[in-house]
Amino acid sequence: MPQFAVELRDVVKRFPGPSGEEVYAVKHVSLQIHDGEFFSLLGPSGCGKTTSLRMIAGFELPTTGAVMIHDRHMGETPPFQRPVNTVFQNYALFPHMTVGENVAFGLEMKRVPKTDIAPRVTEALRMVRLPGMEKRKPKQLSGGQQQRIALARALINRPEVLLLDEPLGALDLKLRKEMQLELKTLQREVGITFIYVTHDQEEALTMSDRIAVMSGGEVLQVGGAADIYERPNCRFVADFIGETNFLRGTVKEQKGKTTVVEVDGGITVRAESENSLAHGQSVTIAVRPEKIHLRPTSGAANAFAGRVEDLVYIGTDTHYGVRFAGDHRVRVREQNTDSASTPLARVGDEVTVSFAEAAARVLVE
Amino acid sequence: MSNRRSLWITLASLLVYVFLYAPIVVLVVFAFNSSKTNVIFEGVVNKGPCGPFYWFCVLFKNGEVLSAARNTMTIAIVSTVASTIIGTMAALALQRYAFPAKTFSEVSLYIPIVIPEIVMGIGILVLFSALFRWLNSAFGLQGDDRLALGLGTVIVSHIAFSIPFVALVVRARLHGFDKAIEEAAMDLGADEWVTFWRVTLPIIAPGVLSGGLLAFTLSLDDFVITFFTNGPGSTTLPIYVYGLLRRIITPEVNALSTVWIFTVLAALAISQRVQREA
């Protein structure tokens, strides 16, 4: 029984740059992806996520390092001999073939008998909820429908791993949300390992069992959605996933997890850290806007007086910009519950901002 | 006001059409002239078993014409097939690979389109005669074995001047070709060869067909380069017609031109149909 569906071992990819020097697309990436997992590679454009995916598919070969699929070393195996299939960003359907011919292409290449292909095509189209579309041409379908056909065309081959390269990027928001849930359901049904590339953090959080956050060709953190959101291990991850307030300061003392940080401007903040930190070490504290409150909650470790500078009402929530302790500004998100008609504060009001010790996370630069 | 303007536009358009097609209409009408000198139209000819198509019958009994037509078609078909294949390959290579001197290759490929045809014709003639003289003496070829200008040299020169046109048309079609479509085919288990035949070629086929059609028509009516590179027994229709004109313009020439025009029109109609179905 192989240990991992896909394993990247210290993979490096260099491209020749425009002026002759080598440019790193991927720097020493190691990843272990389990069987049946919905795994996302998340990062901004140019972070190396698509290059990593293309190395698994075989469209690019690593400069150094190894790509393993179910313990088999892929080496220079060309894409047409790898047990994986890809769903491309712009669908990449064959425009000169019908939907049926598109979906049947992979089986035809494997020389599956014609009599076996037809029922499997019917089944694959039913699975993506587009039954009876065999005779249509791709350009007669909407973007969402084309994406489902691309999915059916890949899944009909029963690949060991399905690679998805920003497959929902070209769809509008509403359709994208629908497809996210549908993809997740489909993945559970077929039980195939999905590796999903996206720059949309919300999409990654919604669908993934685990996420690898990438930046500058490196993997910064790997973990479940809650791990990455609640316990980011660096400033980039905290900033990229959701909205975060940062406060810079130096460590004053540490007792267990509790860390007291002296923040510039003469205030001290009690925060949590699993790492043992040296006295006087410079750190950044990250606090999510929804974990800060405008009135002192009983027992909050941190409470500071401030003034509301701006206010944005967005329906479900109200966002406040609060300045406190001289030059610090934080964003606070309060949910609009039944008393929503009267906001907690108005612009210019003096308020108290408070947050729990567990809400503040110490990040080491 | 708008009425008057649309009247002017209609009139102008009509004039353009008259300007374009009047010579062809006159040419076709004069193919039925009863006057042998063919300067004035003296009524529709009605001679022999063919009646008004007298000059067409004369034409089809003329061995020289038939042989010239055969040469023209042979040259056109062979050079079209060869230049379409080479031009398509060149376009694909320029589209997808990075190689040393790529810009130079690209520019030099299109130079034959802009340099005067007569320069190209003289160049090819000088090249062939120098090459043949050297080969003939190097291998001691005598008499009929000697390499000389003929059908072969015409075909090679037609291939040479058609390649840039094919490459240009195919490249236009390749522009915006989504490389992911080829990657999808490979991802689904097709190797490079199968991917080319099943995916790439069908998608670029309209471009390849247009390029081929362009090469075919260029070859059919080429005069200048053919004039420099043909030899005994490789006379083509344009060369033959030019020879006739120097003596006397009989309605036979018009009949020949009429047949020619309708052949090209038929080819065009077929290719349009094929492209629409693709």
Side-chain angles (χ1 to χ4, degrees), chain A residues 54 59 79-80 84-86 88 90 92-97 105-106 108-109 153 157, chain B residues 178 180-192 194-195 198-200 202-203:
Chain A
R54 289 172 63 81
F59 299 127
F80 48 87
V84 300
N85 285 112
T86 308
F88 293 85
N90 301 317
L93 295 176
F94 308 128
H96 58 296
M97 295 184 194
F105 193 84
E108 211 184 307
M109 290 300 121
R153 182 177 71 173
N157 305 293
Chain B
D178 186 4
I181 292 178
E182 286 179 332
E183 287 182 345
M186 300 237 256
D187 187 70
L188 292 165
D191 59 23
E192 289 90 344
V194 174
T195 300
R198 290 287 310 271
V199 174
T200 315
I203 293 173

Side-chain angles (χ1 to χ4, degrees), chain A residues 130 133 136 140-150 175:
Chain A
L130 287 174
M133 288 281 192
R136 305 271 191 95
Q140 292 173 291
L141 305 178
S142 70
Q145 288 174 323
Q146 290 187 33
Q147 193 50 269
R148 286 161 200 241
I149 299 302
L175 194 56

Side-chain angles (χ1 to χ4, degrees), chain A residues 138-300:
Chain A
K139 65 178 166 203
Q140 292 173 291
L141 305 178
S142 70
Q145 288 174 323
Q146 290 187 33
Q147 193 50 269
R148 286 161 200 241
I149 299 302
L151 205 58
R153 182 177 71 173
L155 282 174
I156 196 172
N157 305 293
R158 297 173 190 151
E160 291 175 22
V161 179
L162 186 73
L163 308 173
L164 303 105
D165 184 8
E166 308 221 16
L168 309 181
L171 304 180
D172 62 57
L173 187 67
K174 195 162 179 291
L175 194 56
R176 200 153 73 215
K177 300 247 181 213
E178 274 174 40
M179 284 294 287
Q180 284 172 10
L181 294 176
E182 223 172 284
L183 266 176
K184 182 71 194 155
T185 314
L186 191 65
Q187 192 262 340
R188 256 188 237 119
E189 270 171 34
V190 295
I192 292 173
T193 312
F194 277 31
I195 302 179
Y196 192 97
V197 161
T198 182
H199 66 267
D200 182 335
Q201 41 104 5
E202 205 180 317
E203 195 165 283
L205 293 177
T206 308
M207 293 192 287
S208 320
D209 297 320
R210 285 196 306 149
I211 301 165
V213 184
M214 293 186 71
S215 173
E218 288 171 301
V219 173
L220 300 178
Q221 190 172 3
V222 182
D227 285 333
I228 286 183
Y229 188 81
E230 303 288 346
R231 289 174 292 282
N233 65 359
C234 63
R235 187 177 172 134
F236 180 88
V237 174
D239 201 21
F240 190 71
I241 316 283
E243 207 186 340
T244 310
N245 295 298
F246 292 111
L247 300 167
R248 298 184 71 98
T250 51
V251 177
K252 210 169 154 195
E253 62 170 302
Q254 191 177 31
K255 250 183 219 151
K257 273 187 176 181
T258 306
T259 312
V260 179
V261 176
E262 185 161 359
V263 173
D264 317 337
I267 55 166
T268 52
V269 172
R270 298 172 76 86
E272 268 191 5
S273 173
E274 282 95 34
N275 304 319
S276 77
L277 301 163
H279 180 84
Q281 193 174 345
S282 74
V283 291
T284 301
I285 294 170
V287 195
R288 298 286 182 190
E290 72 274 15
K291 294 185 177 165
I292 305 180
H293 301 284
L294 279 193
R295 286 162 296 191
T297 46
S298 53

Side-chain angles (χ1 to χ4, degrees), chain A residues 99-121:
Chain A
V99 165
E101 286 165 346
N102 264 283
V103 176
F105 193 84
L107 296 182
E108 211 184 307
M109 290 300 121
K110 282 189 198 158
R111 305 197 191 286
V112 173
K114 272 218 159 62
T115 47
D116 297 353
I117 292 180
R120 280 177 69 178
V121 170

